[in-house]
C-alpha cells in the first residue's frame, strides 16, 4: 500500500507591515477594537509589483530544499488561491511551476478560499495513494490586499498577504502517513463571503472596469457563527472517526481568521494553550496561505519535530471547510 507523507514546509511573508494604527488613519476603527474582536495587531502587504506567484515561488523554494528532493522528482503542483495572478487563466500554479523550472508537469489551481490548503492536501493524498503521482508540491499563496476594499472597515482590518508551501510524497511506511482529511461545502451560504463581480454572474462588461469591482465582501457576523458551529462539529468528527483524543494532538493548527473563532473551537476540543498555533496577531487572515504559514512558524521556531501530530482546521468562502490529521514526516 502506498501512503502520502507530509515531508516539508516553507513560507514567505512580504516585508511591508500594515498595523492597526495605520488602518485607523484609513477607516473609522481603532487598535483596541481590532485586537479585541479579532486578535490581529498587524498584517503583511505585498509590494506593488509582487505577485501571488512570486510569493508562492519563495515559499516553494524553501519547502523543496527542506524536502531534499531534486526539482525533477516533483511531478505535480497545486496552488490554492483566491487572488491568482490572473482571473481565470493561466493558473498561478503553472506560473510558479515554470518560475521554479519544474518542467512540463501537471499544474493547476483550486478555489476553496481559506479552506484551500486543506483541500489541496486531500487532492495530493488521493493522487499519491492512487499511484498517479509521487511528489506533489502544494502551495497556498495570497495577495489579498489586491482584492480588499480599504474603505470597508468590516473587511480591510482582517486580511494580509503571504504564501506557504509543502511537499507531500509517497511512502510505504504507514507511521508517516497523513491519517485523514475531511473536506466539505455548502453553497447556500455563498453570499456570506464573496467577490460578487467579474465572473459570469456579473461580467466585466456590465460592471465596467471601475476600481473595486472585484473586492471581497463579507457578512462577518453571520460567517463567524457558521464558522464556529461547523468547525467544532468537523474537528470533533475527524478525531472521533480516527479514535484520536485532543491530548494526542501536539499542534492544533487552525486557519488564522479570528482569535475568537480559534479560541471557541479550541475550547470545545479542550485544547491547552500550548497546543494551539497562533499567527493571527502578526499576519492576520491570509486565506489559503494561513495554515502553511502557521506550520512554517512552528517549524522555524523549532517547535515542530518529526513524528508529531498536527490537527488542521479551516473555514472560508463557498462556504467551505475542512480538517486534517497529519504527522510531520520529514525524510530521516
Ligand atoms: N472598527 C470599529 N467598528 C467596527 C469595525 C471596525 N473595523 N467593523 C465593524 N464595526 C462595527 C459594526 O459597524 C457594528 O456596529 P453597530 O453595532 O453600530 O452596527 C459593530 O462593530 C459590530 O459589528 P459586527 O460585524 O457584529 O462585529 P463582529 O464582532 O462580528 O466582528 C468580524 C466582525 C471581526 C469581521 C467578525 O465577524 C469575524 O471575524 N467574522 C468571521 C470572518 C471569517 O472567519 N471569515 C471566513 C474566512 S475568510 C475567507 O474565506 C477569505
Amino acid at each position: 500500500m502506498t501512503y502520502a507523507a507530509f515531508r516539508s514546509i516553507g513560507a514567505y511573508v512580504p516585508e511591508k507591515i500594515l498595523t492597526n494604527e495605520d488602518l485607523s488613519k484609513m477607516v473609522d476603527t481603532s487598535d483596541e477594537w481590532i485586537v479585541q474582536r479579532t486578535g490581529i495587531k498587524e498584517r503583511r502587504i505585498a509590494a506593488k509589483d509582487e505577485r501571488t506567484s512570486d510569493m508562492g515561488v519563495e515559499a516553494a523554494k524553501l519547502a523543496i530544499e527542506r524536502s531534499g528532493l531534486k526539482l525533477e522528482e516533483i511531478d505535480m503542483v497545486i496552488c490554492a488561491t483566491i487572488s491568482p495572478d490572473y482571473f481565470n487563466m493561466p493558473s498561478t500554479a503553472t506560473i510558479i511551476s515554470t518560475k521554479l523550472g519544474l518542467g512540463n508537469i501537471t499544474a493547476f489551481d483550486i478555489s476553496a478560499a481559506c479552506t484551500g490548503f486543506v483541500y489541496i492536501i486531500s487532492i495530493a493524498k488521493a493522487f499519491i495513494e492512487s499511484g498517479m503521482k509521487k511528489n506533489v508540491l502544494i502551495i497556498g499563496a495570497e495577495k489579498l490586499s489586491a482584492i480588499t476594499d480599504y474603505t470597508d472597515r468590516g473587511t480591510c482590518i482582517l486580511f494580509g498577504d503571504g504564501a506557504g508551501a509543502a511537499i507531500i510524497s509517497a511512502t510505504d511506511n504507514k507511521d508517516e502517513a497523513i491519517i485523514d482529511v475531511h473536506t466539505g461545502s455548502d453553497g447556500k451560504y455563498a453570499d456570506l463571503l464573496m467577490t460578487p463581480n467579474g465572473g459570469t454572474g456579473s461580467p466585466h462588461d456590465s460592471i465596467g472596469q471601475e476600481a473595486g469591482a472585484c473586492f471581497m465582501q463579507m457578512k462577518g457576523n453571520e460567517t463567524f457563527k457558521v464558522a464556529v458551529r461547523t468547525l467544532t462539529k468537523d474537528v470533533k468528527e475527524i478525531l472521533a472517526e480516527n479514535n484520536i483524543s485532543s491530548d494526542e494532538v501536539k499542534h492544533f493548527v487552525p486557519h488564522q481568521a479570528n482569535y475568537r473563532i480559534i479560541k471557541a473551537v479550541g475550547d470545545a476540543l479542550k485544547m491547552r494553550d500550548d497546543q494551539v498555533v497562533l499567527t493571527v496577531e502578526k499576519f492576520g487572515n491570509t486565506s489559503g496561505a494561513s495554515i502553511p504559514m502557521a506550520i512554517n512558524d512552528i517549524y522555524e521556531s523549532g517547535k515542530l519535530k518529526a513524528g508529531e501530530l498536527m490537527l488542521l482546521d479551516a473555514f472560508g468562502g463557498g462556504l467551505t471547510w475542512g480538517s486534517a490529521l497529519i504527522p510531520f514526516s520529514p525524510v530521516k
Side-chain angles (χ1 to χ4, degrees):
M1 169 91 189
T2 301
Y3 302 101
F6 192 104
R7 289 284 188 227
S8 67
I9 189 75
Y12 169 83
V13 289
E15 258 172 55
K16 186 181 165 191
I17 295 173
L18 182 68
T19 65
N20 292 349
E21 198 59 40
D22 297 330
L23 281 164
S24 68
K25 292 177 191 136
M26 297 156 68
V27 288
D28 182 14
T29 190
S30 65
D31 175 55
E32 193 192 358
W33 193 96
I34 301 172
V35 171
Q36 194 187 46
R37 299 289 180 117
T38 70
I40 301 168
K41 286 194 174 150
E42 57 188 44
R43 63 293 287 144
R44 299 298 179 104
I45 302 295
K48 204 163 185 204
D49 60 353
E50 197 168 30
R51 297 173 176 210
T52 298
S53 64
D54 297 324
M55 294 188 280
V57 163
E58 294 310 314
K61 279 182 188 166
L62 275 179
I64 295 168
E65 187 193 316
R66 291 168 180 170
S67 73
L69 289 176
K70 298 191 192 86
L71 291 183
E72 55 272 26
E73 291 176 285
I74 296 168
D75 46 15
M76 184 158 83
V77 183
I78 318 172
C79 182
T81 185
I82 52 165
S83 47
D85 285 13
Y86 303 98
F87 289 102
N88 295 298
M89 61 180 173
S91 73
T92 304
T94 59
I95 297 167
I96 292 173
S97 180
T98 297
K99 283 180 178 170
L100 288 168
L102 295 182
N104 305 121
I105 59 174
T106 310
F108 60 95
D109 290 356
I110 67 112
S111 167
C114 303
T115 319
F117 195 72
V118 176
Y119 266 65
I120 56 180
I121 290 173
S122 76
I123 298 168
K125 179 175 180 286
F127 267 92
I128 287 169
E129 287 175 351
S130 69
M132 287 176 71
K133 302 291 177 190
K134 284 197 163 51
N135 298 299
V136 182
L137 168 63
I138 57 171
I139 302 150
E142 302 284 9
K143 186 173 180 175
L144 296 180
S145 59
I147 57 167
T148 296
D149 179 356
Y150 285 97
T151 65
D152 173 15
R153 67 178 182 172
T155 53
C156 73
I157 56 151
L158 300 172
F159 299 112
D161 301 335
I167 294 286
I168 313 287
S169 293
T171 179
D172 52 14
N173 180 354
K174 195 172 181 203
D175 293 339
E176 294 185 332
I178 294 172
I179 297 168
D180 199 4
V181 189
H182 275 193
T183 48
S185 74
D186 191 342
K188 81 168 177 276
Y189 295 115
D191 68 329
L192 291 191
L193 185 49
M194 63 187 339
T195 47
N197 298 319
T200 54
S202 178
H204 279 297
D205 59 358
S206 65
I207 58 168
Q209 296 293 327
E210 75 270 23
C214 294
F215 288 156
M216 287 181 280
Q217 291 178 15
M218 181 172 70
K219 295 178 182 160
N221 196 272
E222 286 165 68
T223 307
F224 186 99
K225 288 177 200 154
V226 187
V228 172
R229 199 169 59 236
T230 310
L231 282 176
T232 304
K233 182 171 176 287
D234 194 54
V235 284
K236 279 186 174 171
E237 277 173 6
I238 198 169
L239 287 171
E241 283 168 17
N242 292 284
N243 209 15
I244 290 173
S245 72
S246 319
D247 252 5
E248 293 169 77
V249 173
K250 182 75 181 168
H251 307 283
F252 174 44
V253 193
H255 166 51
Q256 307 286 314
N258 183 318
Y259 175 70
R260 290 188 295 141
I261 298 177
I262 296 171
K263 175 91 176 109
V265 179
D267 285 353
L269 292 175
K270 299 194 169 54
M271 289 284 174
R272 299 180 313 272
D273 286 352
D274 65 286
Q275 290 172 288
V276 183
V277 179
L278 286 173
T279 58
V280 67
E281 181 179 305
K282 56 184 176 181
F283 299 141
N285 180 348
T286 57
S287 192
S290 99
I291 286 182
M293 286 168 71
I295 297 173
N296 186 68
D297 210 64
I298 48 172
Y299 176 79
E300 290 194 347
S301 60
K303 290 185 196 146
L304 178 61
K305 306 266 168 39
E308 290 181 345
L309 182 61
M310 299 184 281
L311 168 62
L312 319 184
D313 85 13
F315 184 87
L319 293 176
T320 57
W321 58 85
S323 55
L325 281 165
I326 301 179
F328 182 53
S329 305
V331 176
K332 285 164 198 138

